[in-house]
Amino acid sequence: ILYAIPDFVSLILVSNMANNTKMHHIVVVFFAGVSINNDYANENVCRAIVMYAIFSTFSYVVNLLLASRFISLGSYRGLASLLSLAIYSFCLSMNWVWQVWYITHIYSTHMYSVIAYTICILFVVYDDILLFRWLLFNSRRSLIIGDKCC
């Protein structure tokens, strides 16, 4: 629930949010609701939901960089972009490898919930890919023209 609160609040307060980000936030809030009544002693897709959130939390520096778009970081912006890209790349890679392993592991016993989860999580994955591309663009730009970008 703590992970989903910022997504829920931003759905209400941010009026010009991109559609892909809205879908990402809606899925996160939906997953939080699904997870509330889950018994984590049992293997099911809720474990995948929590692991996705954990790996996303590890890359929190990316959210810090996104929030800093509205303030001046001066010469630190390029470094922050590079650091965010490196951390985000690692977290996404590890997360997606674990996700594929886990959902294939539980697929035979939870086929319908795995299919539903996969459809929902693809909205989050798509938004993650767009964010990765943005970080890559900003990192390259900061290397080419210096730290006065982004």
Side-chain angles (χ1 to χ4, degrees), residues 101-138:
W101 170 80
Y102 186 71
I103 63 174
T104 56
H105 170 72
I106 66 169
Y107 182 78
S108 63
T109 54
H110 300 285
M111 182 177 70
Y112 296 116
S113 60
V114 166
I115 291 169
Y117 170 73
T118 302
I119 291 168
C120 290
I121 202 67
L122 285 176
F123 288 105
V124 177
V125 169
Y126 178 71
D127 198 45
D128 285 339
I129 291 169
L130 292 179
L131 180 53
F132 173 82
R133 289 174 60 193
W134 181 82
L135 288 169
L136 186 61
F137 172 79
N138 283 335

Side-chain angles (χ1 to χ4, degrees), residues 37 63 97:
N37 294 314
N63 290 332
V97 166

Side-chain angles (χ1 to χ4, degrees), residues 64-101:
L64 179 63
L65 180 66
L66 286 171
S68 74
R69 290 177 294 178
F70 307 108
I71 60 172
S72 173
L73 290 181
S75 62
Y76 295 105
R77 179 151 322 268
L79 178 61
S81 292
L82 288 169
L83 179 63
S84 295
L85 178 65
I87 292 169
Y88 201 53
S89 299
F90 178 76
C91 289
L92 284 179
S93 300
M94 297 304 295
N95 195 356
W96 292 346
V97 166
W98 188 90
Q99 294 288 320
V100 169
W101 170 80

Side-chain angles (χ1 to χ4, degrees), residues 23-62:
M23 287 304 300
H24 172 132
H25 291 325
I26 289 167
V27 168
V28 167
V29 171
F30 171 72
F31 282 167
V34 168
S35 297
I36 287 175
N37 294 314
N38 183 54
D39 178 4
Y40 285 94
N42 300 320
E43 280 192 327
N44 56 42
V45 295
C46 286
R47 287 186 182 181
I49 291 169
V50 169
M51 287 302 291
Y52 210 101
I54 289 170
F55 277 108
S56 296
T57 302
F58 290 156
S59 62
Y60 196 78
V61 68
V62 175

